């Protein structure tokens, strides 16, 4: 009769909890919970072995919770650092793009200025050619006038009318002076135009040098932008890997939490949760179990039952639990 009764309760404990959390399926109860309930109901007739197993399981389940919390905190900090670095790289990329657009605008302005200066240079060259042709025509006219003057002077030499000859000479000299003045003015204009042409040529050479410098800077900025884009792609790939790892850790944490909830609420006298259980409720249930265990141990001492101290039970139960954790760790 005594052996059949625990087997029936173990079969009832193997059934899944119908009101578990909807977020993750609750695995079936382990036989350890049934043994702990039997130990609590039968008043410790199984001896200190039940107490040692209960204390070993509670201590073995609390240690990985702290390790998982520390690992989550480190991974969240690493992810935040990677996100901040990615934001900084994107800001640098935007600044480089703005500088590249500014350099392109400057290049367009310089190209327009060079084309306008080239048009002005062509106009000045055409004016210079026209001035040179006018100068040659005036020199030709001057030579013709001088020849005419010479011919007229030779003619008038034979004439006796000196007054007429003088009048003609005065007139020719006036015309020659006017022609010389015109030639002088044209020569001064030609010198000014030559000076302006030399200044324009210097400006064109300077603008060409600036255009070459701008092209070099644009090429350099394009190379830097390509390097930054490759780094951004690498960071995005790492971010994706980090998110996948974080999701995997979150799922493992949820499974571990469901196991803790199942072990906590599967003890004798605890009510199964009606809705989703918070972390504070789980801690309160575990603290209640620990307090009941302490009260049960104190009650046994008061009744005169020889039981080992809780510290010695913890020490003896922690070694097989830790060995079991080491054996299960490679399977993860």
């Amino acid at each position: 009769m005594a052996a059949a009764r625990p087997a029936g309760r173990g079969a009832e404990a193997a059934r899944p909890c119908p009101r578990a959390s909807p977020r993750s399926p609750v695995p079936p109860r382990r036989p350890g919970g049934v043994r702990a309930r039997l130990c609590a109901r039968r008043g410790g007739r199984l001896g200190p072995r039940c107490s040692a197993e209960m204390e070993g399981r509670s201590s073995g389940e609390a240690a990985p919770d702290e390790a998982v919390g520390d690992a989550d905190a480190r991974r969240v900090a690493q992810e935040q650092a990677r996100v901040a670095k990615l934001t900084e790289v994107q800001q640098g990329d935007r600044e480089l793009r703005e500088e590249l657009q500014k350099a392109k605008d400057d290049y367009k302005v310089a190209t327009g200025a060079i084309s306008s200066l080239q048009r002005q240079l062509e106009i000045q060259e055409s004016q210079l050619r026209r001035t040179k042709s006018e100068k040659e025509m005036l020199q030709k006219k001057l030579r013709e006038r001088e020849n005419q003057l010479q011919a007229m002077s030779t003619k008038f030499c034979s004439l006796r009318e000196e007054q007429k000859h003088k009048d003609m000479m005065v007139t020719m000299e006036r015309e020659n002076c006017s022609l010389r003045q015109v030639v002088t003015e044209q020569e001064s204009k030609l010198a000014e135009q030559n000076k302006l042409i030399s200044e324009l040529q210097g400006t064109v050479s300077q603008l060409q040098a600036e255009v070459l410098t701008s092209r070099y800077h644009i090429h350099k900025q394009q190379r830097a932008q390509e390097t930054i884009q490759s780094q951004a792609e690498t960071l995005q790939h790492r971010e994706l890997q980090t998110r996948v790892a974080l999701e995997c850790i979150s799922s493992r944490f949820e499974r571990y939490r469901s196991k803790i909830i199942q072990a906590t609420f599967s003890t004798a006298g605890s009510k199964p949760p009606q809705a989703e259980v918070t972390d504070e409720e789980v801690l309160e249930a575990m603290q209640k179990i620990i307090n009941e265990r302490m009260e049960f141990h104190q009650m046994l001492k008061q009744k005169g039952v020889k039981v080992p101290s809780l510290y010695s039970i913890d020490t003896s139960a922690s070694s097989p639990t830790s060995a079991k954790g080491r054996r299960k760790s490679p399977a993860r």
Side-chain angles (χ1 to χ4, degrees):
M1 294 291 289
R5 189 175 299 169
R9 290 177 183 175
E12 292 176 359
R15 297 176 185 174
C17 182
R19 296 182 181 179
S21 175
R23 296 175 57 186
S24 61
V26 178
R29 298 177 180 177
R30 293 178 296 180
V34 177
R35 190 176 185 86
R37 286 192 301 170
L38 291 175
C39 289
R41 289 187 178 182
R42 297 167 76 177
R45 278 182 287 174
L46 293 179
R49 186 171 58 185
C50 292
S51 301
E53 288 180 359
M54 290 172 62
E55 186 173 359
R57 288 193 181 92
S58 62
S59 62
E61 290 172 355
D65 191 9
E66 296 178 356
V68 171
D70 295 337
D72 289 340
R74 288 197 297 272
R75 289 185 176 87
V76 169
Q78 291 177 0
E79 184 178 0
Q80 291 177 354
R82 291 176 182 172
V83 171
K85 188 174 181 181
L86 180 59
T87 306
E88 183 179 357
V89 170
Q90 290 177 353
Q91 182 68 24
D93 190 9
R94 285 196 295 272
E95 292 177 357
L96 285 175
R97 287 182 179 175
E98 292 175 358
E99 291 179 1
L100 180 60
Q101 186 64 33
K102 184 177 179 183
K104 287 181 179 179
D105 295 337
D106 294 339
Y107 175 73
K108 290 179 181 178
V109 172
T111 306
I114 288 172
S115 61
S116 63
L117 289 173
Q118 287 177 352
R119 287 195 296 271
Q120 292 179 4
L121 182 61
E122 291 174 358
I123 293 170
Q124 293 293 333
E125 287 177 353
S126 64
Q127 291 179 357
L128 179 61
R129 287 193 297 270
R130 186 168 59 253
T131 304
K132 285 182 179 179
S133 64
E134 290 176 358
K135 179 184 175 183
E136 291 174 357
M137 184 177 64
L138 290 172
Q139 287 178 352
K140 185 177 180 182
K141 288 182 178 181
L142 181 60
R143 285 192 298 270
E144 291 175 358
R145 291 294 180 89
E146 286 176 355
N147 293 331
Q148 290 177 2
L149 182 60
Q150 188 68 27
M152 290 176 68
S153 63
T154 54
K155 288 180 180 180
F156 288 135
C157 286
S158 62
L159 298 174
R160 295 177 179 179
E161 298 175 358
E162 295 180 357
Q163 189 63 35
K164 290 182 179 181
H165 179 66
K166 288 180 180 180
D167 293 335
M168 289 296 293
M169 290 295 292
V170 169
T171 304
M172 293 298 293
E173 285 177 358
R174 287 177 180 174
E175 290 179 358
N176 288 332
C177 288
S178 64
L179 289 172
R180 288 192 184 105
Q181 187 177 1
V182 171
V183 170
T184 304
E185 290 177 357
Q186 292 296 328
E187 287 178 350
S188 63
K189 288 181 180 180
L190 182 62
E192 290 178 357
Q193 289 177 356
N194 288 330
K195 184 179 179 180
L196 181 61
I197 288 169
S198 62
E199 290 177 356
L200 290 173
Q201 287 178 351
T203 305
V204 168
S205 61
Q206 184 180 0
L207 289 174
Q208 288 177 351
E210 290 178 357
V211 167
L212 291 175
T213 306
S214 299
R215 288 178 180 175
Y216 173 73
H217 287 305
I218 289 170
H219 181 65
K220 187 176 180 181
Q221 289 176 357
Q222 287 177 352
R223 290 171 57 188
Q225 184 179 4
E226 291 175 356
T227 304
I228 291 173
Q229 286 179 354
S230 64
Q231 291 178 357
E233 291 175 355
T234 304
L235 288 175
Q236 288 177 357
H237 182 66
R238 290 180 180 176
E239 182 184 4
L240 181 61
Q241 290 180 350
T242 305
R243 288 180 179 177
V244 172
L246 183 61
E247 291 177 359
C248 181
I249 290 170
S250 299
S251 63
R252 290 177 61 186
F253 176 73
E254 289 297 331
R255 290 196 301 269
Y256 183 71
R257 184 174 179 273
S258 65
K259 290 180 180 180
I260 291 175
I261 292 171
Q262 179 187 0
T264 302
F265 290 97
S266 63
T267 58
S270 61
K271 296 180 180 180
Q274 301 296 327
E276 184 178 356
V277 182
T278 62
D279 295 339
E280 288 78 7
E281 293 175 353
V282 174
L283 290 175
E284 289 177 359
M286 291 178 69
Q287 187 64 36
K288 182 178 179 182
I289 293 170
I290 293 170
N291 292 333
E292 289 178 354
R293 180 171 174 269
M294 294 289 292
E295 291 176 358
F296 180 70
H297 187 271
Q298 191 68 24
M299 183 180 65
L300 290 177
K301 279 187 176 181
Q302 290 176 0
K303 288 183 177 181
V305 179
K306 292 183 179 181
V307 291
S309 63
L310 292 176
Y311 179 76
S312 62
I313 293 172
D314 293 339
T315 306
S316 61
S318 61
S319 58
T321 306
S322 61
K324 186 184 298 181
R326 286 195 299 269
R327 287 195 299 271
K328 290 184 179 180
S329 60
R332 295 180 184 177

